[in-house]
Amino acid sequence: MTAAAQESTRRLRAGVIGLGWAGQQHVAAYAADPTVDLVAISAMEEHLLAEFGDRYQVEGRYPDWKQMLSEAEIDVVSIATPTFLHAPMAIAALEAGLHVITEKPMAENAEAAGRMVEAANTAGRVLDVSFNHRQRGDVRALKEVVDSGVLGKLYYAKTGWIRRQGIPGLGTWFTKSASAGGGAMMDIGIHMLDMALHLMDEPAVTAASASTHAEFGPLGRGGSGFGISAVEEGVPFEVEDLATAFLRLEGGGTLLLESSWAQWIAHDLCYVTLYGADGGATIEWGGPEEPRITVWTEVAGIPAELHPAAGEDGRHAAAVANFLQKVRSDDWAAHNGALALRRAEVIDACYASAKAGAEVTIGG
């Protein structure tokens, strides 16, 4: 029996590194899965180890993640730590023979993300990245609309996540270039990039023209309320609080992407709008109306506006379940993190374009 076949027939033993909000979602997801034993957690914060260890009856509690990897008998591990730690932790876990899922973004840049993919290929293990927002019920419903062919050929899309006030952890690793890799685009824009390309059936991005701005953070304004809400003395705000990008897609299509942590707008808003030869569609949430899907098309030659029903949101639990399904599949090589690496390459190109003030070609 192959290793993959063995994984598909037995209970998996799971561990989680990092017990911030995202890590807590992974812990809950494993604990709720009847086919998984959550046996190890790791965090620097002793009170979190005690709280979540007690809540979910986890025996293995490790202040040192390296000790957890070497001592805990686990098959899969979630990494929910600051971005700059994703690559070293994931590579160490893969080299130890574990299957890995990290929080987004994959890494602080495409070079580090590429090393993660190489490690997955060498180890012959699954490497996944949690893009939990694609597990929303409305996103899944819109994907069914697109796949049905109702919209026809998609040639243009707009997407964005813009906040009225929401810079996370001013003065912490979130707003330092080396540890975060970027600002609003790296943190929340990548969610919208992932959703749009997923809905459009993964066209390759061939070029990026982008611009970045930092108008709130350097003044200590726009904080979200978590972490530090003012710039620490001697610690500059090194990333952007707003970014926009024009992306060229293989086949001639285009995608507009915007993301902001702080901006003078009426309210927070997330949206994806698709334009096809036979119809258009949009989803948005964050405004005064309930989230919904709207489709514009023709039925028997008559203009029609449709509102498909959306199922329940899956979020992190669905992302973890999808990862476990990949681990239990018979083709680990197909799940080596390559798609998330492509996302990282696009984000890198956007930052390079903003710095150069010119369009940057991707690939080729």
Side-chain angles (χ1 to χ4, degrees):
M1 182 180 290
T2 65
Q6 290 175 344
E7 300 286 47
S8 68
T9 58
R10 67 177 178 85
R11 296 179 67 83
L12 296 173
R13 295 167 60 86
V16 176
I17 304 174
L19 292 177
W21 182 83
Q24 294 168 23
Q25 310 312 303
H26 286 250
V27 166
Y30 288 128
D33 191 321
T35 69
V36 173
D37 293 321
L38 176 64
V39 299
I41 54 177
S42 175
M44 295 177 63
E45 303 89 349
E46 291 185 6
H47 69 286
L48 293 178
L49 282 176
E51 177 184 349
F52 289 93
D54 290 347
R55 182 184 302 180
Y56 295 105
Q57 299 180 336
V58 182
E59 292 186 7
R61 307 175 189 185
Y62 298 88
D64 184 342
W65 63 272
K66 293 181 180 179
Q67 183 183 7
M68 188 186 91
L69 293 185
S70 65
E71 295 183 5
E73 296 180 1
I74 56 178
D75 307 297
V76 300
V77 63
S78 287
I79 297 173
T81 57
T83 303
F84 71 102
L85 295 174
H86 290 181
M89 289 179 170
I91 291 170
L94 290 163
E95 290 176 345
L98 307 181
H99 303 283
V100 175
I101 179 171
T102 75
E103 268 300 304
K104 65 79 212 166
M106 187 176 188
E108 68 273 24
N109 54 49
E111 186 276 329
R115 287 190 282 110
M116 294 166 69
V117 172
E118 290 177 6
N121 289 334
T122 300
R125 292 295 185 268
V126 171
L127 172 62
D128 202 6
V129 176
S130 174
F131 287 110
N132 57 291
H133 279 280
R134 69 156 66 182
Q135 306 296 338
R136 290 178 57 94
D138 47 13
V139 174
R140 294 200 304 269
L142 183 52
K143 186 70 168 86
E144 291 180 2
V145 170
V146 172
D147 292 346
S148 75
V150 168
L151 305 184
K153 177 186 176 182
L154 299 177
Y155 59 91
Y156 177 47
K158 298 187 293 186
T159 188
W161 186 336
I162 51 178
R163 289 177 178 168
R164 170 68 177 79
Q165 181 169 313
I167 301 175
L170 267 168
T172 70
W173 71 268
F174 265 109
T175 57
K176 298 174 185 176
S177 180
S179 52
M185 179 174 288
M186 179 71 82
D187 178 39
I188 56 179
I190 198 167
H191 269 308
M192 309 315 292
L193 173 68
D194 176 71
M195 274 188 276
L197 294 177
H198 169 65
L199 289 167
M200 299 178 79
D201 200 25
E202 298 297 338
V205 181
T206 60
S209 181
S211 179
T212 59
H213 305 269
E215 302 296 334
F216 287 73
L219 301 177
R221 300 164 63 183
S224 65
F226 359 108
I228 298 169
S229 58
V231 176
E232 294 176 336
E233 183 177 353
V235 181
F237 184 90
E238 298 176 335
V239 296
E240 85 284 357
D241 46 40
L242 181 146
T244 60
F246 173 85
L247 305 177
R248 297 187 187 277
L249 308 178
E250 187 177 38
T254 51
L255 170 62
L256 297 185
L257 170 67
E258 64 173 341
S259 54
S260 72
W261 276 338
Q263 193 175 353
W264 291 116
I265 52 177
H267 52 74
D268 293 4
L269 180 65
C270 298
Y271 67 92
V272 182
T273 305
L274 308 175
Y275 300 89
D278 300 321
T282 189
I283 53 174
E284 65 176 52
W285 62 94
E289 296 184 1
E290 289 294 320
R292 68 175 185 173
I293 311 165
T294 303
V295 177
W296 303 279
T297 186
E298 287 184 347
V299 177
I302 301 172
E305 181 174 299
L306 312 174
H307 298 283
E312 293 185 3
D313 291 346
R315 302 294 181 93
H316 281 86
V320 169
N322 185 257
F323 163 60
L324 294 173
Q325 185 178 23
K326 293 172 182 177
V327 171
R328 293 190 171 101
S329 74
D330 59 359
D331 190 5
W332 294 345
H335 307 297
N336 64 352
L339 185 143
L341 172 58
R342 293 201 295 271
R343 303 287 191 261
E345 290 168 344
V346 173
I347 297 298
D348 271 13
C350 288
Y351 285 132
S353 170
K355 183 177 181 179
E359 184 171 271
V360 169
T361 300
I362 303 173

